[in-house]
């Protein structure tokens, strides 16, 4: 995909994702496009990333999200260089992911001065034995410390990640995590159950019988505990995996769930623009070669055409993740079945539909019902994108 010099972006494309693929350690459950011991690539990668950003017409972004990997591993001067080459709205949401073990009070202050105004902290758990099992490099004490340091540095919008469904994790462990969360009072909480991704170390250990999956009933009980506890403590359950204080939901991710178009820059980053979905190449050599030749670093095999019909179906499907907002109601055999089974409900005078409490707990079953349907025929996004 060559840069023709006049490639235009639709006016409603106002979200940018920037992928920083570096980590200090590869977590055994992770299948993201990340690399360790690559500090020698930091500067070269940053230069290439900025060149890729410049291949797009200048656009004023409403949200910018630095994900990875661990974006906070980049030196401040390199993050500053990237920020200088992004035009974003003054009141926009600028998020950076970080881990508790690679952050100092001084660097947090510098990040805030750069214009980063939202942090997503990969805490996962506050229990040391759970963190050790996951292979995380930080302790529960480190997690609490970095959160408080971030507050002291002026961050008023912080999201934390919490994992559950981990084989050596008890319900009591989870309850302790939830109590700590309430004490810290973040604006957003993102929850994830452990997923056994093929190709990861955890997957290999599962196949060999070294590890075993958590009992499904206990995992479901954990999910219910999270929902009930956070709701009782003032957090709205606005998306299947996300809770927030009123008005503090993640703006960038909401664009994904509302099926808005966005630009993705960097290794493996995904883009949805002008009726196409595609991802960048996943190797440094291919990425650098494309940038040097002034060619968009797109993996041609990843390109999917999203016509108007497919766009509507995707919007309806992704909208079901929004537990309060829901999606537009439409007539379909699958929808009727899910309504009859109490997994979906209509609201707003019947114009919209959303998951019921029962449907939220069985959301995977709802999505499978939609995606496996021959009548609805989803094609542009794989099943894994919804679960």
């Amino acid at each position: 995909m060559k840069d023709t010099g006049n490639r235009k972006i639709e006016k409603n494309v106002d979200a940018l994702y920037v992928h920083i693929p570096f980590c200090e350690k590869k977590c055994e459950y992770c299948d993201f496009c990340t690399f360790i011991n690559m500090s020698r690539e930091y500067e070269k990668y940053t230069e290439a990333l900025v060149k890729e950003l410049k291949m797009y017409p200048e656009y004023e972004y409403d949200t910018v999200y630095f994900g990875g990997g661990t974006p906070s591993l980049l030196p401040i001067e390199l993050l500053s260089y990237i920020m200088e080459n992004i035009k974003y709205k003054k009141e926009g949401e600028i998020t950076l992911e970080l881990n508790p073990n690679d952050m100092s009070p001084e660097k947090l202050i510098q990040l805030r001065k750069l214009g980063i105004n939202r942090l997503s902290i990969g805490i996962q758990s506050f229990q040391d034995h759970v963190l050790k099992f996951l292979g995380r490099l930080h302790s529960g004490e480190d997690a609490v410390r970095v959160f408080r340091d971030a507050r002291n540095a002026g961050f008023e919008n912080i999201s934390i990640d919490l994992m559950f469904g981990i084989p050596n994790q008890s319900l009591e462990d989870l309850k302790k995590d939830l109590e700590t969360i309430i004490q810290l009072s973040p604006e957003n909480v993102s929850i994830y159950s452990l997923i056994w991704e093929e190709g990861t170390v955890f997957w290999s250990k599962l196949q060999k019988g070294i590890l075993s999956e958590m009992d499904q009933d206990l995992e479901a009980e954990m999910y219910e505990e999270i929902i009930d506890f956070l709701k009782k403590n003032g957090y709205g359950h606005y998306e299947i995996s996300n809770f927030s204080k009123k008005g503090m939901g993640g703006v960038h991710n909401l664009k994904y769930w509302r099926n808005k178009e966005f630009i993705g820059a960097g290794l493996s980053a995904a883009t949805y623009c002008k009726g196409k979905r595609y991802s960048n190449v996943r190797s440094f050599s291919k990425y650098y070669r494309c940038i040097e030749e002034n060619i968009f670093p797109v993996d041609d095999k990843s390109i999917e055409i999203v016509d108007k019909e497919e766009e509507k179906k995707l919007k309806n499907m992704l909208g079901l993740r929004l537990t309060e907002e829901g999606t537009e109601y439409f007539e379909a055999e699958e929808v009727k079945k899910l309504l009859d089974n109490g997994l979906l409900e209509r609201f707003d005078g019947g114009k919209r539909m959303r998951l019921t409490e029962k449907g939220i707990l069985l959301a995977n079953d709802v999505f499978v019902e939609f995606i496996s349907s021959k009548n609805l025929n989803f094609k542009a996004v794989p099943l894994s994108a919804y679960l």
Side-chain angles (χ1 to χ4, degrees):
M1 187 180 288
K2 288 187 175 292
D3 176 15
T4 62
N6 59 358
R7 188 164 182 258
K8 295 181 180 180
I9 302 178
E10 297 296 322
K11 290 184 178 181
N12 65 338
V13 180
D14 60 358
L16 172 67
Y17 173 80
V18 180
H19 190 68
I20 308 298
F22 307 114
C23 279
E24 191 172 352
K25 179 184 178 182
K26 182 82 170 181
C27 294
E28 294 187 353
Y29 56 85
C30 177
D31 73 335
F32 293 162
C33 181
T34 61
F35 303 86
I36 62 172
N37 301 320
M38 296 288 282
S39 58
R40 64 186 181 279
E41 295 289 334
Y42 289 0
E43 189 169 345
K44 184 177 181 180
Y45 180 78
T46 300
E47 290 284 353
L49 179 64
V50 169
K51 287 180 180 178
E52 182 190 358
L53 288 168
K54 289 182 176 180
M55 290 166 72
Y56 290 97
E58 186 177 78
Y59 195 83
E60 188 176 42
Y61 294 104
D62 179 50
T63 65
V64 179
Y65 193 103
F66 288 88
T70 311
S72 54
L73 278 181
L74 282 188
I76 285 293
E77 57 268 22
L78 295 182
L79 285 170
S80 177
Y81 181 54
I82 298 171
M83 290 284 286
E84 289 168 3
N85 284 279
I86 298 172
K87 186 176 182 181
Y88 54 91
K89 296 176 181 177
K90 186 177 180 181
E91 68 280 8
E93 178 191 88
I94 317 298
T95 304
L96 181 121
E97 293 182 347
L98 62 85
N99 285 332
N101 57 288
D102 59 21
M103 193 54 53
S104 66
E106 294 75 24
K107 191 167 185 178
L108 284 163
I109 292 171
Q110 291 174 316
L111 288 173
R112 188 67 192 89
K113 288 180 179 178
L114 280 186
I116 306 293
N117 56 24
R118 183 176 185 269
L119 297 178
S120 178
I121 307 178
I123 288 174
Q124 318 309 351
S125 175
F126 295 95
Q127 311 310 310
D128 288 345
H129 71 278
V130 176
L131 292 168
K132 185 177 180 180
F133 176 83
L134 291 172
R136 305 292 291 180
L137 295 176
H138 69 275
S139 66
E141 186 178 337
D142 291 334
V144 172
R145 173 189 53 76
V146 78
F147 186 94
R148 289 175 175 161
D149 286 344
R151 285 288 195 230
N152 291 335
F155 285 96
E156 298 177 349
N157 192 353
I158 302 176
S159 177
I160 67 172
D161 291 349
L162 179 71
M163 286 185 69
F164 68 101
I166 305 164
N168 75 334
Q169 182 186 36
S170 68
L171 185 60
E172 191 60 35
D173 289 329
L174 178 66
K175 288 180 178 180
K176 289 178 181 178
D177 283 342
L178 292 171
E179 289 168 1
T180 302
I181 286 172
I182 297 307
Q183 290 171 13
L184 295 176
S185 191
E187 281 63 44
N188 194 94
V189 181
S190 296
I191 62 166
Y192 306 96
S193 63
L194 177 62
I195 298 176
W196 302 83
E197 299 284 5
E198 190 171 352
T200 63
V201 175
F202 267 26
W203 172 263
S204 177
K205 289 182 177 180
L206 179 67
Q207 302 309 303
K208 294 175 182 177
I210 299 172
L211 296 178
S212 57
E213 297 183 61
M214 174 177 281
D215 176 78
Q216 289 187 347
D217 290 339
L218 177 56
E219 186 173 336
E221 188 178 357
M222 285 184 167
Y223 187 40
E224 290 183 79
E225 177 67 26
I226 292 169
I227 294 173
D228 292 343
F229 188 90
L230 291 178
K231 279 187 172 181
K232 287 176 183 176
N233 284 277
Y235 286 84
H237 189 192
Y238 69 98
E239 192 270 341
I240 287 176
S241 299
N242 280 272
F243 302 77
S244 75
K245 295 180 179 179
K246 188 174 182 179
M248 298 302 291
V251 179
H252 184 84
N253 285 335
L254 277 168
K255 293 179 186 290
Y256 294 154
W257 299 318
R258 290 169 177 161
N259 202 39
K260 301 294 185 181
E261 296 188 345
F262 59 91
I263 299 299
L267 215 63
S268 81
T271 291
Y272 175 34
C273 182
K274 296 189 71 175
K276 290 182 180 180
R277 286 183 182 269
Y278 52 83
S279 300
N280 282 352
V281 295
R282 296 175 67 91
S283 79
F284 286 103
S285 58
K286 290 181 180 178
Y287 182 72
Y288 292 152
R289 184 167 64 250
C290 288
I291 299 301
E292 288 169 3
E293 296 176 2
N294 203 37
I295 298 172
F296 281 96
V298 174
D299 178 357
D300 290 335
K301 294 180 181 179
S302 72
I303 299 174
E304 295 278 3
I305 304 300
V306 183
D307 58 24
K308 291 297 182 182
E309 181 183 354
E310 186 73 9
E311 178 187 2
K312 185 175 182 179
K313 288 189 291 187
L314 287 170
K315 186 175 183 179
N316 285 330
M317 174 61 74
L318 290 167
L320 285 179
R321 293 193 63 97
L322 299 171
T323 56
E324 298 171 347
E325 183 177 314
T327 190
E328 182 181 354
Y329 172 77
F330 61 95
E331 296 282 352
E333 182 181 333
E334 291 76 15
V335 171
K336 183 179 185 305
K337 178 181 176 181
L338 292 166
L339 285 167
D340 290 343
N341 289 338
L343 299 176
L344 290 180
E345 65 181 2
R346 296 176 70 175
F347 69 107
D348 190 22
K351 297 176 183 177
R352 301 184 67 78
M353 61 184 177
R354 62 190 171 200
L355 294 169
T356 61
E357 289 187 11
K358 177 183 175 183
I360 290 171
L361 297 176
L362 299 173
N364 285 4
D365 295 339
V366 175
F367 295 141
V368 168
E369 182 73 31
F370 270 80
I371 297 170
S372 62
S373 167
K374 292 181 180 179
N375 297 325
L376 297 178
N377 191 27
F378 282 91
K379 59 187 179 182
V381 179
L383 177 63
S384 60
Y386 298 109
L387 304 182

